[in-house]
Amino acid sequence: MKVGILSFQGSFLDHSKSVELIGLTPIFIKNESQIDDLDALIFPGGESTAMRKINNYNGLFNQLDNLIKSGIPTLSTCAGTILLASEVIGGNPTIPNIDIQITRNAYGRQTESFEGSVSFYSNEDIYCFIRAPKITGLLSDNVEVISKHNSEIVGVQQDNIVALTFHPELNNDGYYLDWLHNFIKEGKNVRSF
Amino acid sequence: MKIESTDKVKKGLAEMLKGGVIMDVVNAEQAVIAEKSGAVAVMALERIPADIRADGGVARMSSVGVIQEVMDSVSIPVMAKARIGHFVEAQILDSLGIDFIDESEVLTPADEVNHINKQNFKAPFVCGATDLGEATRRIAEGASMIRTKGEAGTGNVVEAVRHMRTITNQLNEVISCDENQLVALSKKYGAPLNVLEQIKELNKLPVVNFAAGGIATPADAALMMQLGCDGVFVGSGIFKSGDPAERAEAIVIATTNFNDPKILGEVSKDLGEPMVGINIDTLSDEEKLAKRGW
């Protein structure tokens, strides 16, 4: 199975490592010639302002929007989640597909970046939050909370999309990889783990 | 549970910058141009390297006012430079909440023997290197990111190429060596053994490695990416050129699309005047910034 990873900039190599570890094929996508026959999509961490700018030239977001709406499993982390949010505080909506309000750099600068305990579906582990955004509002009943740090919502699922504010791709722990494998394999029927 | 400024969080920010362009800026106005052009971070400086080179004298950490002005003007990470070995300048930058500290040879060194012990800071550090020994010594001191030194402020990419090729060749030697050779390689390159062991295990440097020093055109940026760099610093190349916004954007597009000569040609069209370059052979050893650091 082919997993397309948006590769303008950011943690795309870390995500490709996760995809390789579960025996699937990562496809680095930068333009529309690379998006045929994808079985899943990943929007990596990085800088959302830079990704938006690069897209002005590479022109890929409209096609990715269609792919997400066709129902293929889609994962986003950190900046990727900012791209998919329908409302952005301190930025603009880019490919709005998840009904959440997100606030950029909500914890502060890099000196406030941290490793913290996170519940992710039925598991608990420690993950990195790097100049992370916060999910500051759930805007429809279709959004299910699937991940929390203390009492904060740090991950949601809406149909075929799972959006996180932290970086499981920097861990590649067994639970995450098993989840990722199932999530991608279930394809258009994807539900929670 | 919540722990700030761990090694993983520091290296993690460098991971998020990969494939991107970090631009030198001297005020808020330039920082905004850089952010709008697609920079993943900016480096706040009082003078860009070409001017430091021209003006001479002692180059120090930027004024706190300039750094804060830049931090307040953009939403992307802000880096700033401290002199080699000047741990108090680094303490000040750390207290400002800077996102990354560059212990940089572009400034006049404050210590001719020691670099800063970078483990004790909340902010991650990036350091320059000309070869594997230098890179691994900086990593052992706690650097979360490495960059080639190149020869800053010249607009001449030849030194950055030399440093990247040297690091790559020496890395390959470590990766392909028999484990019995590791101690000898550690001695040969002046490279701490524990970092060589990490390299052997990961089959790569344990931190991100960017290109810096002399990158002036979209083609220069793509060249460094094709040589295996994880991203690009552009110093004097942007704001010493005829049309900074356009050149900045072209270098960003070139860095993402580094393998596509057609796109590289397209973004290189109608860019206006690049910065005037300096032939490195005309510089004396004292004028070469890459000779600083140990």
Side-chain angles (χ1 to χ4, degrees), chain A residues 8-10 14 30 46-47 49-50 53-54 57-58 104-105 109-110 113-117 131 167 171, chain B residues 1-6 8-9 12 15-16 18 36 38 40 75-77 97 99 249 253 256-257 266:
Chain A
F8 287 168
Q9 177 277 318
D14 305 282
K30 292 182 183 176
E47 285 301 322
T49 53
K53 184 70 198 184
I54 295 162
Y57 187 88
N58 285 47
R104 291 183 62 216
N105 299 336
R109 310 195 71 93
Q110 170 64 7
S113 292
F114 62 95
E115 284 186 70
S117 47
R131 288 173 50 97
H167 293 285
N171 277 42
Chain B
M1 173 267 185
K2 180 174 178 175
I3 314 172
E4 288 172 355
S5 303
T6 61
K8 194 163 172 181
V9 164
E15 294 285 325
M16 298 308 142
K18 271 190 307 202
K36 282 193 179 148
V40 290
S75 67
I76 54 179
D99 295 298
E249 208 178 306
I253 301 302
T256 292
N257 299 293
E266 243 170 59

Side-chain angles (χ1 to χ4, degrees), chain A residues 58-117:
Chain A
N58 285 47
L60 187 57
F61 287 167
N62 283 341
Q63 280 86 346
L64 294 184
D65 190 38
N66 292 337
L67 264 181
I68 298 168
K69 290 192 164 72
S70 78
I72 68 168
T74 301
L75 169 69
S76 66
T77 63
C78 198
T81 296
I82 297 172
L83 295 181
L84 299 186
S86 57
E87 205 181 306
V88 183
I89 307 294
N92 296 296
T94 305
I95 322 171
N97 272 277
I98 322 167
D99 300 326
I100 54 171
Q101 181 198 67
I102 197 145
T103 304
R104 291 183 62 216
N105 299 336
Y107 295 89
R109 310 195 71 93
Q110 170 64 7
T111 42
E112 271 77 51
S113 292
F114 62 95
E115 284 186 70
S117 47

Side-chain angles (χ1 to χ4, degrees), chain B residues 105-186:
Chain B
E105 72 284 356
V106 170
L107 306 184
T108 311
D111 188 321
E112 291 185 327
V113 179
N114 306 294
H115 282 251
I116 299 169
N117 173 8
K118 295 167 264 288
Q119 318 274 7
N120 301 331
F121 292 82
K122 290 192 81 172
F125 275 74
V126 54
C127 289
T130 59
D131 58 25
L132 188 69
E134 241 182 329
T136 52
R137 290 196 296 277
R138 299 297 85 81
I139 293 167
E141 291 156 359
S144 304
M145 181 177 185
I146 292 294
R147 53 172 178 76
T148 61
K149 283 186 175 170
E151 194 54 41
T154 61
N156 189 341
V157 79
V158 66
E159 292 299 307
V161 169
R162 186 200 316 279
H163 299 160
M164 188 58 197
R165 283 207 184 275
T166 304
I167 291 171
T168 304
N169 289 344
Q170 295 174 345
L171 258 181
N172 287 339
E173 194 180 349
V174 172
I175 290 165
S176 63
C177 84
D178 175 326
E179 272 169 19
N180 298 303
Q181 297 172 294
L182 266 188
V183 173
L185 285 176
S186 164

Side-chain angles (χ1 to χ4, degrees), chain B residues 180-255:
Chain B
N180 298 303
Q181 297 172 294
L182 266 188
V183 173
L185 285 176
S186 164
K187 185 180 170 199
K188 177 173 166 192
Y189 292 126
L193 183 62
N194 65 330
V195 182
L196 292 189
E197 284 166 349
Q198 285 177 54
I199 291 169
K200 191 96 180 98
E201 194 189 316
L202 297 167
N203 288 324
K204 64 182 187 70
L205 274 180
V207 301
V208 165
N209 182 18
F210 269 49
I215 292 144
T217 67
D220 290 346
L223 173 68
M224 296 311 297
M225 293 299 287
Q226 287 199 29
L227 286 173
C229 288
D230 292 313
V232 175
F233 282 86
V234 187
S236 320
I238 290 172
F239 289 100
K240 277 283 164 193
S241 72
D243 187 344
E246 196 139 336
R247 182 164 295 264
E249 208 178 306
I251 292 176
V252 167
I253 301 302
T255 302

Side-chain angles (χ1 to χ4, degrees), chain A residues 165-192:
Chain A
T165 63
F166 56 94
H167 293 285
E169 77 275 17
L170 297 182
N171 277 42
N172 284 333
D173 55 282
Y175 184 90
Y176 167 67
L177 291 177
D178 282 350
W179 168 80
L180 185 66
H181 199 185
N182 278 309
F183 179 66
I184 294 169
K185 262 195 342 201
E186 281 181 43
K188 288 186 181 178
N189 305 313
V190 68
R191 289 307 320 159
S192 48

